[in-house]
């Protein structure tokens, strides 16, 4: 079925949003599972000081871009339900705090010292994820189960508190506790989401204000790379991600495109005439900034952010044209559940990893250092299986919802 008349009114769902979000999640699962000694270099992360980027260096910013692009549509949905700005602000803050909490727990897994904590690392992690699902699962709204749902959430909260209290890092002589560190993947998403959501709320969706905010965070990223913001270093343990500007600039660029998409989606020809040149211009900005900053994900350079933004918007435009304009959708249906259940899809595989490691199960036999084809094909199948796994969990009402 083809649709050459545009997308119609605001009730039309833009399928390419779910598909690209699902595609980036699939690629995140894929690159996270890759056994690096056995796969081509262009698939994995480059080193911090290396002026380059591989597929793995685009995947996360690709997802950040989609976080921003989705915000205008999420806000529109809430406004249609009659939610006030105050209620939306509370939702933004609670969602951000939830992402930061989960991110901090995840980033501390490698720091846990089992000997002085008195608990096996695999057991601690599995219990942590169990608590996360107990707290943030999308439970039924049936009043019949109201007290059961509250009880499960309280059990999860109590569990996280206990796990945090018994956590010890370092050594017996010099023990430490949990640290925010770099906040973890979900923590970075949380900070970027906070910056973009508040920008959209306060700007009332005005494109020019969003564009200025994006340029502002990009400017912060440049200043941070020049060490011009060192006088704010005392704030880094708390809001360093915001001050650095890198992650927020990526999410804000997604927000900018989301605002354009919401405004012009019924005139796809005009929309693409804006977004495609914008993507190309940002790519050129990335290569221009390379004169001062190497392309490095680990260092969070502005050249890397701009290149990733350019790639993201051009990939989205291609998907938008193929799926929402031309109507060719069946080929990508496998990615849709992942796009609609992104957090569950991202976290569920970790539970299986730690279960396998804890039980000593050598199931992932495709991780072969001397056979790239088997290593890559195995990770592709693993990523696809995890998408199906998350979809099955959703069918039995196990679905994280922040």
């Amino acid at each position: 079925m083809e649709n050459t008349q545009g997308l119609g009114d605001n009730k039309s769902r833009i399928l390419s949003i779910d598909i690209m979000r699902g595609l980036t999640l699939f690629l995140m699962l894929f690159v996270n599972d890759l056994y690096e000694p056995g796969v081509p270099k262009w698939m994995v992360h480059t080193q911090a000081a290396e002026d380059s980027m591989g597929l793995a260096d685009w995947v996360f910013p690709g997802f950040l871009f989609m976080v921003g692009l989705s915000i205008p549509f999420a806000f529109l949905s809430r406004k249609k339900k009659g939610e006030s700005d105050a209620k939306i602000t509370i939702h933004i803050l609670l969602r951000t705090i939830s992402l930061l909490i989960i991110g901090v727990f995840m980033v501390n897994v490698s720091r846990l010292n089992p000997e002085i904590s008195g608990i096996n690392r695999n057991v601690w992690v599995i219990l942590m994820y169990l608590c996360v699902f107990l707290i943030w699962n999308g439970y039924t709204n049936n009043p019949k189960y109201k007290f059961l749902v509250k009880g499960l959430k309280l059990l999860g909260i109590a569990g996280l508190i206990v796990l945090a209290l018994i956590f010890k890092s370092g050594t017996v002589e010099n023990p430490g506790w949990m640290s925010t560190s770099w906040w973890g993947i979900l923590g970075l998403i949380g900070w970027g989401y906070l910056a973009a959501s508040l920008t959209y709320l306060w700007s009332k969706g005005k494109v020019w204000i969003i564009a200025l905010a994006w340029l502002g965070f990009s400017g912060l990223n440049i200043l941070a790379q020049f060490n011009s913001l060192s006088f704010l270093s005392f704030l880094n343990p708390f809001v360093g991600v915001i001050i650095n500007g890198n992650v927020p600039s990526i999410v804000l660029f997604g927000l900018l495109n989301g605002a354009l998409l919401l405004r012009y989606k019924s005139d796809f020809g005009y929309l693409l005439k804006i977004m495609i040149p914008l993507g190309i211009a940002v790519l050129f900005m990335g290569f221009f900034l390379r004169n001062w900053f190497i392309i490095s994900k680990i260092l969070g350079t502005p050249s890397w952010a701009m290149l990733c933004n350019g790639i993201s918007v051009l990939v989205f435009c291609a998907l938008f044209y193929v799926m929402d304009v031309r109507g060719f959708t069946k080929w990508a249906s496998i990615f849709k559940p992942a796009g609609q259940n992104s957090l569950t899809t991202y976290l569920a595989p970790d539970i299986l990893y730690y279960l396998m490691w804890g039980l000593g199960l050598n199931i992932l036999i495709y991780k072969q250092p001397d056979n790239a084809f088997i290593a890559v094909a195995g990770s592709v199948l693993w990523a696809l299986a995890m998408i199906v796994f998350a979809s099955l969990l959703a069918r039995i009402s196990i679905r994280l919802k922040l």
Side-chain angles (χ1 to χ4, degrees), residues 101-102 105 124 127-129 131-132 135-136 155-165 178:
I101 290 172
I102 302 172
F105 270 87
W124 189 91
L127 290 175
M128 180 267 289
Y129 281 124
C131 292
V132 166
I135 299 169
W136 287 286
L155 178 62
I157 293 171
L160 280 189
I161 292 173
V162 171
L163 290 172
L165 289 174
M178 296 178 70

Side-chain angles (χ1 to χ4, degrees), residues 221-238:
N221 191 199
I222 290 172
L223 291 174
Q225 290 291 317
F226 279 133
N227 292 320
S228 299
L229 302 177
S230 57
F231 65 97
L232 296 174
S233 59
F234 69 99
L235 294 173
N236 285 340
F238 309 102

Side-chain angles (χ1 to χ4, degrees), residues 5 67 79 87 123 156 167 175 196 295-296 375-376 392:
Q5 301 301 315
V67 169
K79 284 293 186 180
K87 189 171 183 179
V123 173
F167 180 96
I295 301 170
S296 174
V376 172
L392 293 175

Side-chain angles (χ1 to χ4, degrees), residues 20-54:
M20 183 159 170
R21 190 163 48 225
L23 177 62
T24 54
L25 273 167
F26 164 77
L27 291 174
M28 286 173 74
L29 297 175
F30 168 66
V31 298
N32 286 344
D33 186 69
L34 281 174
Y35 185 57
E36 295 193 11
V39 302
K41 184 179 178 181
W42 64 267
M43 288 187 176
V44 299
H45 293 290
T46 54
Q47 299 299 311
E50 188 176 356
D51 183 20
S52 181
M53 62 180 285

